[in-house]
Every structure is written in C-alpha cells, then in structure tokens.
C-alpha cells in the first residue's frame, strides 16, 4: 500500500475501502433550552464506503447512518427525537450522505455531498480534519455542520438547537 501526503492529510493508496461500523463513530454537539445548555450525543454508522482515486479530487464516499441510533443519554429526549416530530425513524430509518466531489482549499480538503434526512436531500460540505493510512485501511476524521430546518425538522423551535456539529471518526479497510 502506497500513500502520499498533502499538507497534513495522508492520501491513502487508490482503491475501495469498506467502513467498519464497529470501529467508527459519529458524535454531535448542539444546544437546547434557548441555546443555554449543551447537548452531546452519537449516531451509529450502518454502512459505508470510501473510494480513493488516483487523482484525489475524483475520490468518493457514501455513508448510511441508523436514524434510530440517535443517543444523548436522556431516554425522554432520545425517544422524542426519534419520533415523527423530528427524525421519524419508523418511516425514514436511514440518514444517507453521498459525496459529489472533493475540493482542495487553502484550509485543507472539503468533501462536498448531499445529506438525506426524512426524505429531504440538501448539500452538506464535510471538512476533512485528518486522513491517514491505518494498517491496510484508512482512518478519517471530519466535521460538518447541519441545519435541521433545511430538512423540515422544525419542531421545538427555540427549545431545541437548530444546528448540529457532527464529528466523524471513520475507520475503513
């Protein structure tokens, strides 16, 4: 396996990498109670893959997140967010990210793509914080900011945070 380095991102060898859901995490941070209190939680990846192209700009990624895995440690909040008022996990069990292109910017790399939540699809840029080879695979850390209103999730205006900052720690081999 041969990799190259650009800035602080090690570009792995070309090929297809399957995401390991058991070794990958998606955490999020938002605010509630009129923006006064922080809320942190996690989602679980169900499936995904990363394709590294010879020209990094041609690389791609896709991830499927289990919507019912929303977890903050508060049973009442978690049940409400999974309900039809928010994620509607019975009708929309998956949250899907599919990349459209990879762009090198002055600040590093940005993976552009679409996020589908509750049947609505909107563009979401994902900033790659680090990417490195890990044995015969790759490890990716990235961050994205999601506006839930863009996906029609508007319940709890003022009480529940509008934007979530997602941090991804993905291992694929």
């Amino acid at each position: 396996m041969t990799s190259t380095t650009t800035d602080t991102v090690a570009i792995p060898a070309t090929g297809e990498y399957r995401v390991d859901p058991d070794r990958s995490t998606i955490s999020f941070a938002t605010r509630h109670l009129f923006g006064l209190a922080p809320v942190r939680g996690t989602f679980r990846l169900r499936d995904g893959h990363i394709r590294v192209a010879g020209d990094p700009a041609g690389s791609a990624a896709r991830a499927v997140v289990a919507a019912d895995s929303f977890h903050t440690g508060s049973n009442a909040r978690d049940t409400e967010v999974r309900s039809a008022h928010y994620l509607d996990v019975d009708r929309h069990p998956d949250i899907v990210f599919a990349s459209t292109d990879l762009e090198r910017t002055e600040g590093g790399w940005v993976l552009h793509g679409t996020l589908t939540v509750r049947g609505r699809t909107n563009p979401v840029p994902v900033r790659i914080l680090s990417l490195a080879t890990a044995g015969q695979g790759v490890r990716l850390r990235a961050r994205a900011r999601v506006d839930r209103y863009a996906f029609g999730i508007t319940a709890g205006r003022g009480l529940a945070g509008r934007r979530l900052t997602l941090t991804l720690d993905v291992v694929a081999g």
Side-chain angles (χ1 to χ4, degrees):
M1 173 173 280
T2 304
S3 64
T4 58
T5 301
T6 61
D7 299 330
T8 60
V9 173
I11 307 298
T14 61
E16 299 282 335
Y17 299 88
R18 186 149 197 74
V19 171
D20 182 345
D22 294 330
R23 296 175 49 211
S24 301
T25 60
I26 299 174
S27 58
F28 65 85
T30 188
R31 302 196 72 72
H32 75 124
L33 295 176
F34 304 101
L36 299 175
V39 174
R40 293 186 187 347
T42 60
F43 281 102
R44 181 179 46 77
L45 271 166
R46 187 184 313 276
D47 188 33
H49 73 270
I50 299 169
R51 180 177 47 81
V52 177
D55 173 3
S59 297
R62 185 173 193 281
V64 179
V65 176
D68 65 354
S69 68
F70 179 90
H71 177 77
T72 63
S74 167
N75 287 334
R77 176 182 21 241
D78 295 351
T79 299
E80 178 65 11
V81 170
R82 292 180 196 128
S83 78
H85 293 124
Y86 290 88
L87 291 177
D88 196 4
V89 302
D90 290 336
R91 291 182 48 215
H92 304 281
D94 296 329
I95 297 169
V96 179
F97 175 81
S99 70
T100 55
D101 67 287
L102 179 65
E103 174 188 25
R104 186 169 182 175
T105 66
E106 283 187 31
W109 292 88
V110 176
L111 185 63
H112 297 279
T114 59
L115 185 67
T116 302
V117 181
R118 283 183 52 144
R120 285 202 185 173
T121 302
N122 286 292
V124 172
V126 177
R127 176 156 305 281
I128 297 174
L129 304 174
S130 65
L131 177 63
T133 57
Q136 294 298 308
V138 297
R139 183 167 193 163
L140 168 80
R141 286 196 38 87
R143 186 163 290 137
R145 190 152 167 100
V146 175
D147 179 349
R148 68 182 178 95
Y149 289 11
F151 298 93
I153 304 171
T154 59
R157 287 183 188 245
L159 291 175
R162 177 176 176 169
R163 292 175 183 82
L164 288 85
T165 300
L166 302 172
T167 302
L168 299 86
D169 189 356
V170 177
V171 176

